[in-house]
Amino acid sequence: MTDKFIPYCLPDITEREIKEVIETLESGWLAKGPKTIEFEEKFAKYVGAKYAVAMNSCTAALHIALIAGGVKPGDEVITTSMTFAASVNTILHVGATPVFVDIDPETGLIDIDKIEEKITEKTKAIVPVHYAGQACDLDRLYEIANKHNLFVSEDAAHAIYTEYKGKRIGYNPQGAVSYSFYATKNLATGEGGMLVTDSKEIADRARVLITHGMSKNAWNRYGKGGSWMYDIEEPGYKYNMFDIQAALGITQLDRLEEMQEARENLVKLYLEGLAGIKGIEVQKVNDYTSKNAWHLFIIRVTEEFPLKRDELIEYLAENNIGTSVHFIPVHLMSAYKEYKEQSELVNTEMWFNQILSLPLYSTLEEADVKTIIEKIKSVPTTKKLV
Ligand SMILES: Cc1ncc(COP(=O)(O)O)c(C=O)c1O
């Protein structure tokens, strides 16, 4: 057994983030304010979008994207089941029906070839997920969306830093793109999210909706020159980011390249060390992901491996190594039973039965990756679970 526990995930917080947060606390402005605006501007510039609207989660951003994209009760929205519940809950929150498309069996991403067969006269939008840090084939996706006049809300929770054919996800977005800054994400603010778009209409509507539906710039009503007068244009939500989160976000964005470099080095070690182990397959990276955010490092445990996937998880846990599974398909969860029937998600279910996410984060040590590889290489050959 290794002496120390290697967690599956840890955020990368340095003195710089701590200093920024303390300065914000001392500034007297804690709610949405100048730091949030600065973060939005820097983020928009970083991804190459015209507008960025900071929120308290990616879930909020996905929800607002669908509302601003005109999705209404009774509409159908195409997505993948190999995702976190947020991608699907937000479809249900606007009163629409999720329609699941199966995944590519080697990458785990939505199978673009199977989208058109699921389009009906009720289909209004597509929510593709840039799963694990790989890009969906956006050229083909937008070709289908444009042909059928569908709104696209990209779930880029895993894809800060990801590039599709040399351009960052979020570059010149045709619909809306939502990112997550949850504690486990590549850029972490604890909780937090961002919606980016090139549409002024979507950005303006999002800004109103995330502050109860208050008229524009309501955040500044307590500042110098701010007015006490506001109107509620429509009943909205309380989804805005606040300045302490933004202070973390600005510093993390500044450090993103450095943190990604560390991830990439660790991935290289994993790829070298796991190559040739019978029964361990690494998630295939598609050709058009020119930069992979490597949010997750996913392996598949196939029939040829001495242990089953669940046995390997248990064995690694016994050896002080934390792992996770991304994801339990949404359509298999109790809340979504009624949408299971419509879907033949053979690849999704097969993928789920084989996958395992190994620890990957910028502060993970090379020696830890080597230990994990050694443990996988030296698993007992007698199965424990039945
Ligand atoms: C694919 C995906 N979409 C959306 C979300 C929701 O992000 P948040 O926790 O910021 O709301 C997550 C969170 O893990 C996710 O993995």
Side-chain angles (χ1 to χ4, degrees):
M1 192 196 284
T2 56
D3 296 338
K4 65 167 190 188
F5 175 62
I6 305 172
Y8 149 73
C9 194
L10 275 181
D12 183 347
I13 299 296
T14 66
E15 285 303 319
R16 281 187 61 191
E17 280 85 352
I18 294 168
K19 186 167 164 277
E20 270 288 331
V21 168
I22 291 173
E23 275 175 23
T24 305
L25 287 170
E26 288 171 350
S27 77
W29 198 290
L30 304 187
K32 178 180 176 179
K35 285 283 171 199
T36 307
I37 307 295
E38 183 185 336
F39 186 33
E40 286 176 342
E41 286 169 2
K42 288 189 164 155
F43 198 87
K45 196 161 168 222
Y46 173 74
V47 297
K50 281 198 184 132
Y51 308 98
V53 185
M55 304 194 194
N56 56 12
S57 68
C58 178
T59 307
L62 289 166
H63 186 195
I64 295 296
L66 290 180
I67 300 172
V71 180
K72 301 246 160 32
D75 291 340
E76 289 178 359
V77 178
I78 287 176
T79 191
T80 167
S81 179
M82 186 43 61
T83 186
F84 184 58
S87 327
V88 179
N89 283 346
T90 45
I91 295 171
L92 292 165
H93 289 159
V94 295
T97 302
V99 174
F100 298 114
V101 166
D102 209 357
I103 56 169
D104 176 290
E106 285 185 297
T107 64
L109 273 72
I110 190 166
D111 187 342
I112 308 272
D113 288 334
K114 293 190 177 146
I115 289 182
E116 272 194 296
E117 64 200 53
K118 295 282 175 132
I119 294 176
T120 71
E121 70 280 3
K122 288 185 177 171
T123 311
K124 182 72 195 196
I126 310 178
V127 178
V129 178
H130 300 299
Y131 172 61
Q134 284 195 47
C136 294
D137 189 349
L138 291 177
D139 285 347
R140 291 198 48 220
L141 195 98
Y142 278 101
E143 195 182 297
I144 294 169
N146 292 336
K147 182 173 153 196
H148 297 275
N149 198 22
L150 305 177
F151 179 71
V152 177
S153 161
E154 294 174 44
D155 182 335
H158 300 178
I160 297 164
Y161 186 78
T162 300
E163 288 184 12
Y164 171 74
K165 295 186 180 172
K167 301 221 166 88
R168 287 209 172 107
I169 294 297
Y171 175 86
N172 192 16
Q174 294 183 41
V177 185
S178 299
Y179 302 83
S180 172
F181 310 133
Y182 181 68
T184 57
K185 296 297 189 286
N186 296 35
L187 186 166
T189 63
E191 299 279 1
M194 190 76 81
L195 179 151
V196 309
T197 180
D198 269 9
S199 155
K200 185 169 184 318
E201 201 184 327
I202 291 176
D204 285 349
R205 182 104 192 271
R207 285 189 202 289
V208 169
L209 280 169
I210 63 169
T211 329
H212 299 289
M214 275 186 207
S215 43
K216 268 182 276 173
N217 291 330
W219 67 270
N220 197 23
R221 65 195 187 284
Y222 302 124
K224 190 170 184 310
S227 166
W228 58 268
M229 176 67 90
Y230 62 83
D231 183 28
I232 299 284
E233 294 176 9
E234 60 181 312
Y237 306 86
K238 180 63 176 160
Y239 278 173
N240 62 279
M241 181 174 276
F242 65 105
D243 270 22
I244 301 171
Q245 282 169 303
L248 278 168
I250 291 165
T251 320
Q252 288 263 293
L253 186 59
D254 232 27
R255 295 186 49 240
L256 189 61
E257 290 284 327
E258 147 203 332
M259 293 192 289
Q260 287 297 142
E261 241 172 66
R263 265 177 201 267
E264 278 167 2
N265 282 338
L266 298 168
V267 166
K268 260 189 218 142
L269 285 183
Y270 268 134
L271 292 175
E272 283 163 18
L274 295 172
I277 303 181
K278 252 192 164 172
I280 297 291
E281 305 272 341
V282 172
Q283 179 188 19
K284 186 187 158 199
V285 181
N286 59 37
D287 294 341
Y288 34 80
T289 298
S290 41
K291 267 194 186 167
N292 188 340
W294 290 110
H295 173 55
L296 303 170
F297 190 82
I298 298 175
I299 58 168
R300 285 192 293 140
V301 183
T302 70
E303 294 274 290
E304 289 181 301
F305 196 68
L307 302 186
K308 288 183 185 154
R309 188 272 311 271
D310 291 5
E311 291 170 325
L312 179 57
I313 290 177
E314 193 179 297
Y315 172 76
L316 292 174
E318 280 165 5
N319 281 279
N320 264 338
I321 296 164
T323 57
S324 192
V325 172
H326 297 89
F327 290 96
I328 303 165
V330 173
H331 74 281
L332 296 183
M333 308 230 190
S334 326
Y336 315 98
K337 271 198 209 105
E338 63 184 285
Y339 309 105
K340 184 173 158 48
E341 298 311 315
Q342 42 151 280
S343 325
E344 279 270 302
L345 303 173
V346 180
N347 292 340
T348 307
E349 291 181 19
M350 194 171 69
W351 179 267
F352 163 59
N353 287 327
Q354 295 183 330
I355 52 169
L356 164 58
S357 305
L358 294 177
L360 181 61
Y361 40 98
S362 44
T363 57
L364 181 66
E365 288 173 20
E366 289 187 4
D368 292 337
V369 173
K370 287 179 184 154
T371 303
I372 295 164
I373 293 164
E374 281 318 306
K375 284 291 158 197
I376 295 175
K377 279 184 169 161
S378 58
V379 294
T381 46
T382 43
K383 302 188 182 196
K384 283 193 298 178
L385 300 179
V386 267

Coordinates of all heavy atoms in Angstrom, one line a residue, residues 2 6 263-280 282 297-299 305-307 312 315-317 319-323 356-360 364-380:
T2 N 0.5 2.3 -0.8 CA 1.2 3.6 -0.7 C 1.0 4.2 0.6 O -0.1 4.1 1.2 CB 0.8 4.5 -1.9 OG1 -0.6 4.7 -1.8 CG2 1.2 3.9 -3.2
I6 N -3.6 9.3 -2.4 CA -3.5 10.2 -3.6 C -5.0 10.5 -4.0 O -5.6 9.6 -4.5 CB -2.8 9.5 -4.8 CG1 -1.4 9.0 -4.3 CG2 -2.7 10.4 -6.0 CD1 -0.7 8.1 -5.3
R263 N -0.4 19.4 -16.3 CA -1.3 18.3 -16.6 C -0.8 17.5 -17.8 O -0.8 16.3 -17.8 CB -2.7 18.9 -17.0 CG -3.7 19.0 -16.0 CD -5.0 19.6 -16.5 NE -5.7 20.1 -15.3 CZ -6.7 19.4 -14.7 NH1 -7.0 18.2 -15.1 NH2 -7.2 19.9 -13.6
E264 N -0.3 18.3 -18.8 CA 0.1 17.6 -20.0 C 1.3 16.7 -19.7 O 1.4 15.6 -20.3 CB 0.5 18.6 -21.1 CG -0.8 19.1 -21.9 CD -0.6 20.3 -22.7 OE1 0.5 20.8 -22.8 OE2 -1.6 20.8 -23.3
N265 N 2.2 17.2 -18.9 CA 3.4 16.3 -18.5 C 2.9 15.0 -17.8 O 3.5 14.0 -18.1 CB 4.3 17.1 -17.5 CG 5.2 18.1 -18.3 OD1 5.4 17.9 -19.5 ND2 5.6 19.1 -17.6
L266 N 2.0 15.2 -17.0 CA 1.5 14.0 -16.2 C 0.8 13.0 -17.2 O 0.9 11.8 -17.1 CB 0.5 14.4 -15.1 CG 1.2 15.3 -14.0 CD1 0.1 15.9 -13.1 CD2 2.2 14.5 -13.2
V267 N 0.0 13.6 -18.2 CA -0.7 12.8 -19.2 C 0.4 12.0 -20.0 O 0.2 10.8 -20.2 CB -1.5 13.7 -20.1 CG1 -2.0 12.9 -21.3 CG2 -2.7 14.2 -19.3
K268 N 1.5 12.6 -20.3 CA 2.5 11.9 -21.1 C 3.0 10.7 -20.3 O 3.2 9.6 -20.8 CB 3.7 12.9 -21.3 CG 3.7 13.4 -22.7 CD 5.0 14.2 -23.0 CE 4.7 15.4 -23.8 NZ 5.4 16.6 -23.5
L269 N 3.2 10.9 -19.0 CA 3.7 9.8 -18.1 C 2.7 8.7 -18.1 O 3.0 7.5 -18.2 CB 3.9 10.3 -16.7 CG 5.1 11.1 -16.4 CD1 5.2 11.4 -14.9 CD2 6.4 10.3 -16.8
Y270 N 1.4 9.1 -18.0 CA 0.3 8.0 -18.0 C 0.3 7.3 -19.3 O 0.3 6.0 -19.3 CB -1.1 8.7 -17.8 CG -1.6 8.8 -16.4 CD1 -2.1 10.1 -16.0 CD2 -1.6 7.8 -15.5 CE1 -2.6 10.2 -14.7 CE2 -2.1 7.9 -14.2 CZ -2.6 9.1 -13.8 OH -3.1 9.2 -12.5
L271 N 0.4 8.0 -20.4 CA 0.3 7.4 -21.7 C 1.5 6.4 -21.9 O 1.3 5.3 -22.4 CB 0.3 8.4 -22.8 CG -1.0 9.3 -22.9 CD1 -0.9 10.4 -24.0 CD2 -2.2 8.4 -23.1
E272 N 2.7 6.8 -21.5 CA 3.9 6.0 -21.7 C 3.7 4.7 -20.8 O 3.9 3.6 -21.2 CB 5.1 6.7 -21.3 CG 5.6 7.7 -22.4 CD 6.6 8.7 -21.8 OE1 7.2 8.5 -20.7 OE2 6.8 9.7 -22.5
G273 N 3.3 5.0 -19.5 CA 3.3 3.9 -18.5 C 2.2 2.9 -18.7 O 2.4 1.8 -18.4
L274 N 1.1 3.4 -19.3 CA 0.0 2.4 -19.4 C 0.0 1.7 -20.8 O -0.7 0.7 -20.9 CB -1.4 3.2 -19.3 CG -1.7 3.9 -17.9 CD1 -2.9 4.7 -18.0 CD2 -1.8 2.8 -16.8
A275 N 0.8 2.2 -21.7 CA 0.9 1.6 -23.0 C 1.3 0.1 -22.9 O 2.2 -0.2 -22.2 CB 1.9 2.4 -23.9
G276 N 0.6 -0.7 -23.6 CA 1.0 -2.1 -23.6 C 0.4 -2.9 -22.4 O 0.6 -4.1 -22.4
I277 N -0.3 -2.3 -21.5 CA -1.0 -3.1 -20.4 C -2.2 -3.7 -21.1 O -3.1 -3.0 -21.5 CB -1.4 -2.3 -19.2 CG1 -0.1 -1.6 -18.6 CG2 -2.0 -3.2 -18.2 CD1 -0.5 -0.8 -17.3
K278 N -2.2 -5.0 -21.1 CA -3.4 -5.7 -21.7 C -4.6 -5.4 -21.0 O -4.7 -5.6 -19.8 CB -3.1 -7.2 -21.7 CG -2.8 -7.8 -23.1 CD -2.9 -9.3 -23.0 CE -3.0 -9.8 -24.5 NZ -2.8 -11.1 -24.6
G279 N -5.7 -5.0 -21.7 CA -7.0 -4.8 -21.1 C -7.2 -3.3 -20.6 O -8.2 -3.0 -20.0
I280 N -6.2 -2.5 -20.7 CA -6.3 -1.1 -20.4 C -6.2 -0.2 -21.6 O -5.2 -0.2 -22.3 CB -5.2 -0.6 -19.4 CG1 -5.3 -1.4 -18.0 CG2 -5.3 0.9 -19.1 CD1 -6.6 -1.1 -17.2
V282 N -6.8 3.6 -23.3 CA -6.9 5.0 -22.9 C -8.0 5.7 -23.8 O -8.1 5.3 -25.0 CB -5.6 5.7 -23.0 CG1 -5.7 7.2 -22.9 CG2 -4.6 5.1 -22.1
F297 N -8.6 12.1 -17.0 CA -7.8 11.1 -17.7 C -8.6 9.8 -17.5 O -8.6 9.2 -16.5 CB -6.4 10.9 -17.1 CG -5.5 10.1 -17.9 CD1 -4.9 10.6 -19.1 CD2 -5.4 8.7 -17.7 CE1 -4.2 9.7 -19.9 CE2 -4.7 7.9 -18.5 CZ -4.0 8.4 -19.6
I298 N -9.2 9.4 -18.6 CA -10.2 8.2 -18.6 C -9.5 7.0 -19.2 O -9.0 7.1 -20.3 CB -11.5 8.6 -19.3 CG1 -12.2 9.8 -18.6 CG2 -12.4 7.4 -19.4 CD1 -13.4 10.3 -19.3
I299 N -9.6 5.9 -18.5 CA -9.2 4.6 -19.1 C -10.4 3.7 -19.2 O -11.4 3.9 -18.4 CB -8.0 3.9 -18.3 CG1 -8.5 3.7 -16.8 CG2 -6.7 4.8 -18.3 CD1 -7.5 2.8 -16.0
F305 N -8.4 -7.5 -19.2 CA -7.7 -7.1 -17.9 C -8.1 -8.1 -16.8 O -9.2 -8.6 -16.8 CB -8.1 -5.7 -17.5 CG -7.2 -5.1 -16.4 CD1 -5.9 -4.7 -16.7 CD2 -7.7 -4.8 -15.1 CE1 -5.1 -4.2 -15.8 CE2 -6.9 -4.3 -14.2 CZ -5.5 -4.0 -14.5
P306 N -7.2 -8.4 -15.9 CA -7.5 -9.5 -14.9 C -8.6 -9.1 -14.0 O -9.3 -10.0 -13.5 CB -6.2 -9.6 -14.1 CG -5.1 -8.9 -14.8 CD -5.8 -8.0 -15.8
L307 N -8.8 -7.8 -13.7 CA -9.9 -7.4 -12.9 C -11.0 -6.7 -13.7 O -10.7 -6.0 -14.7 CB -9.4 -6.4 -11.8 CG -8.3 -6.8 -10.9 CD1 -8.0 -5.7 -9.8 CD2 -8.6 -8.1 -10.2
L312 N -11.1 -3.0 -10.0 CA -9.9 -2.2 -10.1 C -10.1 -0.9 -9.2 O -9.1 -0.5 -8.5 CB -9.6 -1.8 -11.5 CG -8.4 -0.9 -11.8 CD1 -7.1 -1.5 -11.2 CD2 -8.2 -0.5 -13.2
Y315 N -9.5 -2.0 -5.7 CA -8.1 -2.3 -5.5 C -7.3 -1.1 -5.3 O -6.4 -0.9 -4.4 CB -7.6 -3.2 -6.6 CG -6.1 -3.4 -6.6 CD1 -5.5 -4.3 -5.7 CD2 -5.3 -2.7 -7.5 CE1 -4.2 -4.5 -5.7 CE2 -3.9 -2.9 -7.4 CZ -3.3 -3.8 -6.5 OH -2.0 -4.0 -6.5
L316 N -7.6 -0.1 -6.2 CA -6.8 1.2 -6.1 C -7.2 1.9 -4.8 O -6.3 2.5 -4.1 CB -7.1 2.1 -7.3 CG -6.5 1.5 -8.6 CD1 -7.0 2.4 -9.8 CD2 -5.0 1.5 -8.6
A317 N -8.4 1.8 -4.4 CA -8.9 2.5 -3.1 C -8.1 1.8 -2.0 O -7.7 2.5 -1.1 CB -10.4 2.4 -3.0
N319 N -5.4 0.7 -2.0 CA -4.0 1.1 -2.1 C -3.8 2.6 -2.0 O -2.9 3.2 -2.5 CB -3.3 0.6 -3.4 CG -3.0 -0.9 -3.2 OD1 -1.9 -1.2 -2.7 ND2 -3.8 -1.8 -3.7
N320 N -4.8 3.3 -1.4 CA -4.8 4.7 -1.2 C -4.8 5.6 -2.4 O -4.2 6.6 -2.4 CB -3.5 5.0 -0.3 CG -3.8 5.1 1.1 OD1 -5.0 5.3 1.5 ND2 -2.8 5.0 2.0
I321 N -5.5 5.1 -3.5 CA -5.5 5.9 -4.7 C -7.0 6.1 -5.0 O -7.8 5.2 -5.2 CB -4.9 5.1 -5.9 CG1 -3.4 4.9 -5.6 CG2 -5.1 5.8 -7.2 CD1 -2.7 3.9 -6.4
G322 N -7.3 7.4 -5.0 CA -8.7 7.8 -5.3 C -9.0 7.8 -6.8 O -8.1 8.2 -7.6
T323 N -10.2 7.4 -7.2 CA -10.5 7.4 -8.6 C -12.0 7.8 -8.7 O -12.6 8.0 -7.7 CB -10.4 6.0 -9.3 OG1 -11.3 5.1 -8.5 CG2 -9.0 5.5 -9.3
L356 N -13.1 4.5 -16.1 CA -12.5 4.9 -14.8 C -11.7 6.1 -15.0 O -10.9 6.2 -15.9 CB -11.7 3.7 -14.3 CG -10.7 3.7 -13.2 CD1 -11.3 4.2 -11.9 CD2 -10.1 2.4 -13.0
S357 N -11.8 7.1 -14.1 CA -11.0 8.4 -14.2 C -9.9 8.3 -13.2 O -10.1 8.2 -12.0 CB -11.8 9.6 -14.0 OG -12.9 9.7 -14.8
L358 N -8.6 8.3 -13.7 CA -7.5 8.3 -12.7 C -7.2 9.7 -12.3 O -7.5 10.7 -12.9 CB -6.3 7.7 -13.5 CG -6.4 6.2 -13.9 CD1 -5.1 5.8 -14.7 CD2 -6.5 5.3 -12.7
P359 N -6.5 9.8 -11.1 CA -6.1 11.2 -10.6 C -5.4 12.0 -11.7 O -4.5 11.5 -12.3 CB -5.2 10.9 -9.4 CG -5.6 9.5 -9.0 CD -6.0 8.8 -10.2
L360 N -5.8 13.2 -11.8 CA -5.1 14.2 -12.7 C -5.4 15.6 -12.3 O -6.6 16.0 -12.4 CB -5.6 13.9 -14.2 CG -4.9 14.9 -15.2 CD1 -3.3 14.6 -15.2 CD2 -5.4 14.7 -16.6
L364 N -0.5 17.2 -8.9 CA -0.2 15.8 -8.7 C 1.2 15.6 -9.0 O 1.8 16.2 -10.0 CB -1.1 15.0 -9.7 CG -1.0 13.5 -9.6 CD1 -1.5 12.9 -8.3 CD2 -1.8 12.9 -10.8
E365 N 1.9 14.8 -8.2 CA 3.4 14.6 -8.4 C 3.6 13.5 -9.4 O 2.9 12.5 -9.5 CB 4.0 14.3 -7.1 CG 4.1 15.6 -6.2 CD 4.6 15.3 -4.8 OE1 5.3 14.3 -4.6 OE2 4.3 16.2 -4.0
E366 N 4.7 13.7 -10.2 CA 5.1 12.6 -11.1 C 5.2 11.3 -10.5 O 4.8 10.2 -11.0 CB 6.4 13.0 -11.8 CG 6.3 14.2 -12.8 CD 7.5 14.4 -13.6 OE1 8.5 13.7 -13.5 OE2 7.5 15.4 -14.3
A367 N 5.8 11.3 -9.2 CA 6.0 10.0 -8.5 C 4.7 9.4 -8.2 O 4.6 8.1 -8.2 CB 6.8 10.3 -7.2
D368 N 3.7 10.2 -8.0 CA 2.3 9.6 -7.7 C 1.8 8.9 -9.0 O 1.2 7.8 -8.9 CB 1.3 10.7 -7.3 CG 1.7 11.3 -5.9 OD1 2.4 10.6 -5.2 OD2 1.3 12.4 -5.6
V369 N 2.0 9.5 -10.1 CA 1.5 8.9 -11.4 C 2.3 7.6 -11.6 O 1.7 6.6 -12.0 CB 1.7 9.9 -12.6 CG1 1.4 9.1 -13.9 CG2 0.9 11.1 -12.5
K370 N 3.6 7.6 -11.3 CA 4.3 6.3 -11.4 C 3.8 5.3 -10.5 O 3.7 4.1 -10.9 CB 5.8 6.6 -11.2 CG 6.4 7.4 -12.4 CD 7.9 7.7 -12.2 CE 8.4 8.5 -13.4 NZ 9.5 9.3 -13.1
T371 N 3.5 5.7 -9.3 CA 2.9 4.7 -8.3 C 1.6 4.1 -8.8 O 1.4 2.9 -8.7 CB 2.6 5.4 -6.9 OG1 3.9 6.0 -6.5 CG2 2.1 4.5 -5.9
I372 N 0.8 5.0 -9.4 CA -0.6 4.6 -9.9 C -0.4 3.5 -11.0 O -1.0 2.5 -11.0 CB -1.4 5.8 -10.3 CG1 -1.7 6.7 -9.1 CG2 -2.7 5.3 -11.0 CD1 -2.2 8.1 -9.5
I373 N 0.6 3.9 -11.9 CA 0.8 3.0 -13.0 C 1.3 1.6 -12.5 O 0.9 0.5 -12.9 CB 1.9 3.6 -14.0 CG1 1.2 4.8 -14.7 CG2 2.3 2.6 -15.1 CD1 2.2 5.7 -15.4
E374 N 2.3 1.7 -11.6 CA 2.8 0.4 -11.0 C 1.7 -0.4 -10.4 O 1.7 -1.6 -10.5 CB 3.9 0.7 -10.0 CG 5.3 1.1 -10.6 CD 5.6 0.2 -11.8 OE1 5.6 -1.1 -11.6 OE2 5.9 0.7 -12.8
K375 N 0.8 0.3 -9.6 CA -0.3 -0.5 -9.0 C -1.2 -1.2 -10.0 O -1.6 -2.3 -9.8 CB -1.1 0.5 -8.1 CG -0.5 0.9 -6.8 CD -0.4 -0.3 -5.9 CE 0.7 0.0 -4.9 NZ 1.2 -1.2 -4.2
I376 N -1.4 -0.4 -11.1 CA -2.3 -1.0 -12.2 C -1.6 -2.2 -12.8 O -2.2 -3.3 -13.1 CB -2.7 0.0 -13.2 CG1 -3.6 1.1 -12.6 CG2 -3.4 -0.6 -14.4 CD1 -3.9 2.3 -13.4
K377 N -0.3 -2.1 -13.0 CA 0.5 -3.2 -13.6 C 0.6 -4.4 -12.7 O 0.7 -5.5 -13.2 CB 1.9 -2.7 -13.9 CG 2.1 -1.9 -15.1 CD 3.5 -1.6 -15.4 CE 3.7 -1.0 -16.8 NZ 5.0 -0.3 -16.9
S378 N 0.5 -4.2 -11.4 CA 0.7 -5.3 -10.5 C -0.6 -5.8 -9.8 O -0.5 -6.2 -8.6 CB 1.8 -5.0 -9.4 OG 1.3 -3.8 -8.7
V379 N -1.7 -5.6 -10.5 CA -3.0 -6.1 -9.8 C -3.0 -7.6 -9.6 O -2.4 -8.3 -10.4 CB -4.2 -5.7 -10.7 CG1 -4.4 -4.2 -10.7 CG2 -4.2 -6.3 -12.0
P380 N -3.7 -8.0 -8.6 CA -3.8 -9.5 -8.4 C -4.6 -10.1 -9.5 O -5.4 -9.4 -10.1 CB -4.5 -9.6 -7.1 CG -5.2 -8.3 -6.8 CD -4.4 -7.3 -7.5

